[in-house]
Amino acid sequence: KIFFHCDFEKDISNAAKKVFPDINIKYRIWHYKRALEIKEKNKLCLKEVENNINLDIHYKFISNFPFINPEYINDIYNKIKSECFEYKYDNFLEFLEYFEITYLKDDEIKHWNYYNNIEHITNNASESFNNYLYDLFPKKSHFYKFLLTLQKVDSLFYDDYKMRKSG
């Protein structure tokens, strides 16, 4: 089975699905939490959450859904939504609507939930390598120079790997 780990980008995962129909896509938890925190919570319900301890707890539950058994996520979500209806937390209900459409529809939970599978929840190694490449190529370079530099980098990493393995 092929695994594809990526940022929380639907376009990237949709393209991967077209090329590899049986691919298992996993989104990075940091990007899941960042998307909720920056994009949607701030837009829809930041003030309401900051001023209400119950909503803050609900928000923290939702932001930790990647670690909760997927069998319980819809039940927890519905309980939170029911309470928000009861107490007329309208802005938080907007956030919940966004969350449901983006994260709960169309079998999306399996892409961001890591319950019982905590492997590869971060892509720090690839992010570090990306930063390393950015330092090598701060500007767009000539294509062949780019390839030659990558070959050198590849050999350095291979040599380093061999040395570490031999002790």
Side-chain angles (χ1 to χ4, degrees):
K1 190 157 191 167
I2 298 172
F3 290 88
F4 180 71
H5 296 265
C6 63
D7 297 351
F8 228 96
E9 298 290 338
K10 296 269 188 180
D11 293 337
I12 293 171
S13 59
N14 287 338
K17 285 180 198 175
K18 279 188 176 184
V19 175
F20 305 102
D22 296 328
I23 199 164
N24 182 353
I25 295 174
K26 294 302 268 185
Y27 296 130
R28 302 290 178 200
I29 291 172
W30 185 87
H31 293 279
Y32 164 86
K33 289 188 169 215
R34 182 89 171 148
L36 292 181
E37 186 70 32
I38 299 300
K39 292 180 184 173
E40 302 312 321
K41 182 179 139 192
N42 284 339
K43 281 185 195 171
L44 299 174
C45 62
L46 178 64
K47 295 285 186 224
E48 199 171 41
V49 169
E50 285 178 345
N51 296 323
N52 186 317
I53 189 73
N54 291 330
L55 288 180
D56 187 51
I57 291 168
H58 290 331
Y59 177 79
K60 287 175 181 165
F61 266 122
I62 290 169
S63 70
N64 285 301
F65 273 177
F67 305 107
I68 294 174
N69 185 330
E71 294 178 20
Y72 304 128
I73 289 175
N74 282 312
D75 291 339
I76 295 167
Y77 172 83
N78 288 328
K79 183 176 181 342
I80 291 169
K81 192 172 181 178
S82 172
E83 185 178 311
C84 289
F85 272 123
E86 182 180 341
Y87 293 102
K88 297 182 179 15
Y89 299 141
D90 296 330
N91 292 334
F92 201 78
L93 283 166
E94 282 185 55
F95 167 75
L96 291 175
E97 185 70 25
Y98 156 81
F99 183 83
E100 183 176 359
I101 291 167
T102 306
Y103 299 98
L104 298 181
K105 295 280 187 205
D106 302 325
D107 205 25
E108 285 294 314
I109 292 173
K110 69 182 178 189
H111 298 307
W112 53 260
N113 186 273
Y114 283 84
Y115 179 80
N116 271 347
N117 183 16
I118 296 297
E119 296 177 24
H120 307 294
I121 63 173
T122 180
N123 62 347
N124 289 345
S126 59
E127 293 286 346
S128 294
F129 188 67
N130 185 42
N131 290 335
Y132 175 76
L133 289 177
Y134 182 78
D135 290 342
L136 286 176
F137 306 106
K139 298 180 186 173
K140 286 189 177 183
S141 65
H142 188 270
F143 180 70
Y144 294 109
K145 181 180 179 190
F146 175 72
L147 289 179
L148 285 172
T149 305
L150 284 181
Q151 284 177 331
K152 288 177 189 173
V153 167
D154 183 48
S155 68
L156 289 173
F157 282 109
Y158 180 72
D159 292 344
D160 184 53
Y161 170 75
K162 283 185 357 187
M163 285 179 12
R164 288 174 192 249
K165 195 169 180 183
S166 67

